[in-house]
Amino acid sequence: MSKKNTETFTLIDNSSGKSFELPVIKGSLGPSVIDVRKLYAQTGYFTYDPGFNSTGSCESNLTYIDGDIGRLLHRGYSIEDLAEKSDFMDVAHLLLNGDLPTPKQKKSFVHDVTYHTMLNEQLANFYRGFRRDAHPMAIMCGVVGGLSAFYHDSTDIYDAHQRMVASFRLIAKMPTIAAMAYKYSIGQPFNYPRNDLSYAENFLYMMFAVPAEEYIISSVMTQAIDRILILHADHEQNASTSTVRLAGSSGANPFACIAAGVAALWGPAHGGANEAVLKMLEEIGQKENIPKFIKYAKDKNDPFRLMGFGHRVYKNYDPRAKVMQKTCHEVLKELNLNDPLLELAMEMEKIALSDPYFVEKKLFPNIDFYSGILLKALGFPTSMFTVLFAVARTVGWVAQWKEMIEDPGQRIGRPRQLYTGHPERDYIPLEKRR
Ligand code: ACO
């Protein structure tokens, strides 16, 4: 809960000599915020903050990040504890409902998610309209948005029951949608979900089983997927979550909002980075080439960036990347795999973290730096990496969307701008234009 503070922030307009008192609001953790909601009415000025470096866009009690020390909490629990001691359904319940479930709540929550895993059969035809070589994220954007054409009974955002049903549907159907995108791309038949399996097991089954053979679900792979899902579940007001909130603020239905989130996640500066990291490591190929790529990354005239490095909020090691790196080692060992890309990534990290450019700019590995290597070890093709991120992040998107709709102070998101275009001018008829 935010507290109105007695503290204020004084703003002085040097041109008029007038001063304005702006309220300061304290959160439960982290820096206080200056409330500028009435700034324009009081002063005639807007704030200017492209990229939202210093702007809090909402009040939220889901996730807290302290980027200076590399700390991430969901509803007060550390990501390290959740990754080690919880499972994804626990974390999903925590994010959606505010607390870890009791055993009874967990049973009912898992049941509710599990019994929404199937897709309307008509949606299979939708897939067949895509090219076989379509990127699975392109298919995800289309199919997730298309859900609103099928589940009309959960699109009334003002009905709490419908909001909950839509939330369950989205969390439950995302693995099915993702696995079908993959199966379609490789020309294999779709696998229907199996409700006797856990969330992670069912996802692996739908991804990798074929009707011709028995599929044995590996417990190592299941645990790794579950951990990947936990690590990606939510991350406060990142680009895709802010997109979901902005789309939702206009009253759009939840399926359309999550489709908007999928689109925003796809970009290589955000969730698309895991795919880009693997491509980059493959291009680097061997340790001897690392200095050359580090040089490109530091060159202001070269658009190349070290993918999987840097973060808007973390100016320290991303705590998720630490868990991901450890999981990567454990899984490769258990599966008896030796991926030279892991060695290469670790060498790259070592070199970058001792280079003054990266040290001064506080550029550390983010979650995407190691997740691709882990997903590759689990048998996921590169094009599916961001899809898996989308599957995991759906619970965060949905929880943030619900929190926004349930906030009595919610208004349409409508930023302003600094106009630098032409002043008003006279219209010139076509025959007189030169
Ligand atoms: N390689 C080289 N230089 C970098 C990198 C990088 N990966 N990241 C940032 N920098 C440099 C910038 O050139 C800039 O230098 P300057 O101050 O001399 O101009 C400085 O560090 C700050 O970078 P910004 O782009 O201003 O930082 P911003 O917060 O806007 O961007 C971002 C953060 C997009 C994550 C950026 O670090 C990046 O592009 N990283 C690579 C892509 C990536 O890994 N994305 C995944 C992010 S995590 C996630 O979404 C799950």
Side-chain angles (χ1 to χ4, degrees):
M1 264 286 162
S2 68
K3 278 197 239 95
K4 208 35 170 295
N5 203 358
T6 45
E7 254 176 63
T8 55
F9 195 90
T10 308
L11 193 70
I12 299 171
D13 178 355
N14 286 327
S15 56
S16 67
K18 282 189 189 160
S19 68
F20 303 93
E21 295 292 308
L22 299 171
V24 169
I25 309 176
K26 266 189 186 312
S28 48
L29 287 173
S32 299
V33 298
I34 302 164
D35 182 350
V36 295
R37 279 176 290 186
K38 300 217 167 89
L39 183 74
Y40 178 61
Q42 285 176 354
T43 68
Y45 287 100
F46 294 131
T47 55
Y48 180 63
D49 186 20
F52 310 118
N53 266 300
S54 306
T55 298
S57 61
C58 62
E59 183 178 328
S60 178
N61 53 34
L62 266 93
T63 294
Y64 173 73
I65 304 173
D66 183 334
D68 293 330
I69 58 168
R71 182 185 191 200
L72 168 61
L73 308 177
H74 292 316
R75 306 266 194 200
Y77 296 100
S78 78
I79 192 66
E80 291 86 351
D81 270 355
L82 292 172
E84 193 163 326
K85 300 172 187 163
S86 252
D87 64 28
F88 182 59
M89 283 294 104
D90 261 354
V91 175
H93 186 284
L94 176 70
L95 287 169
L96 263 183
N97 299 319
D99 239 319
L100 289 168
T102 62
K104 194 170 158 219
Q105 287 168 336
K106 174 98 176 256
K107 206 168 160 217
S108 139
F109 185 79
V110 171
H111 176 275
D112 288 342
V113 171
T114 304
Y115 283 85
H116 283 293
T117 48
M118 274 170 51
L119 281 188
N120 184 302
E121 193 64 16
Q122 187 75 6
L123 270 162
N125 298 331
F126 199 5
Y127 279 81
R128 295 192 175 98
F130 286 99
R131 284 170 58 134
R132 291 269 177 200
D133 62 355
H135 194 287
M137 281 301 279
I139 299 182
M140 294 291 283
C141 290
V143 179
V144 176
L147 293 178
S148 41
F150 288 86
Y151 300 102
H152 303 137
D153 59 343
S154 53
T155 51
D156 179 358
I157 62 164
Y158 301 109
D159 178 326
H161 176 70
Q162 292 202 24
R163 284 200 298 273
M164 207 59 213
V165 173
S167 305
F168 284 132
R169 281 185 168 145
L170 278 155
I171 298 165
K173 292 183 198 307
M174 282 300 258
T176 316
I177 295 171
M180 283 171 74
Y182 173 58
K183 288 295 193 193
Y184 182 73
S185 73
I186 56 169
Q188 286 187 2
F190 300 139
N191 284 323
Y192 288 113
R194 272 182 48 191
N195 291 349
D196 59 322
L197 301 176
S198 74
Y199 193 87
E201 284 172 332
N202 177 47
F203 184 42
L204 284 169
Y205 164 78
M206 290 189 292
M207 279 287 299
F208 298 119
V210 287
E213 295 173 6
E214 189 190 356
Y215 178 69
I216 305 203
I217 302 166
S218 143
S219 60
V220 177
M221 285 177 65
T222 303
Q223 276 169 23
I225 288 292
D226 202 72
R227 185 164 287 181
I228 291 171
L229 293 170
I230 293 174
L231 291 176
H232 289 89
D234 189 50
H235 212 227
E236 54 120 301
Q237 308 312 319
N238 56 83
S240 56
T241 302
S242 298
T243 303
V244 169
R245 279 189 179 254
L246 194 57
S249 77
S250 73
N253 76 71
F255 304 107
C257 296
I258 303 306
V262 173
L265 185 75
W266 193 3
H270 190 11
N274 51 15
E275 184 175 341
V277 168
L278 210 81
K279 285 185 178 151
M280 175 189 77
L281 290 173
E282 278 163 356
E283 201 186 332
I284 295 172
Q286 45 198 9
K287 287 182 187 172
E288 294 67 41
N289 294 333
I290 295 176
K292 192 170 74 188
F293 282 83
I294 297 264
K295 204 168 135 218
Y296 298 155
K298 294 186 328 190
D299 182 354
K300 281 270 152 267
N301 300 316
D302 191 324
F304 175 77
R305 284 190 166 196
L306 218 56
M307 300 315 286
F309 257 76
H311 197 276
R312 170 62 61 79
V313 184
Y314 293 119
K315 301 301 164 199
N316 204 322
Y317 216 109
D318 178 342
R320 302 166 303 169
K322 269 193 194 148
V323 181
M324 195 64 88
Q325 193 213 53
K326 187 167 161 266
T327 312
C328 223
H329 279 289
E330 288 165 2
V331 168
L332 286 178
K333 191 164 165 236
E334 294 241 27
L335 297 177
N336 214 4
L337 293 172
N338 177 22
D339 189 341
L341 289 187
L342 179 59
E343 288 271 303
L344 192 66
M346 289 182 60
E347 185 64 19
M348 181 130 196
E349 177 187 327
K350 207 168 98 195
I351 295 177
L353 293 186
S354 57
D355 187 301
Y357 175 93
F358 291 88
V359 175
E360 277 156 27
K361 294 187 190 298
K362 299 185 177 163
L363 301 170
F364 289 84
N366 59 51
I367 187 170
D368 292 320
F369 195 63
Y370 287 103
S371 63
I373 299 171
L374 180 53
L375 287 170
K376 181 172 168 255
L378 298 175
F380 283 80
T382 319
S383 62
M384 284 297 288
F385 292 180
T386 313
V387 171
L388 208 115
F389 194 156
V391 169
R393 183 55 58 84
T394 296
V395 63
W397 289 332
V398 160
Q400 299 261 0
W401 168 80
K402 254 178 95 273
E403 181 180 62
M404 181 191 68
I405 300 292
E406 288 163 12
D407 178 350
Q410 187 265 325
R411 302 173 71 200
I412 188 169
R414 184 19 173 123
R416 301 303 298 260
Q417 63 168 10
L418 175 67
Y419 177 69
T420 52
H422 215 288
E424 188 166 2
R425 49 181 163 166
D426 292 335
Y427 182 81
I428 306 168
L430 181 61
E431 63 282 6
K432 294 200 173 156
R433 284 178 221 155
R434 297 285 169 262

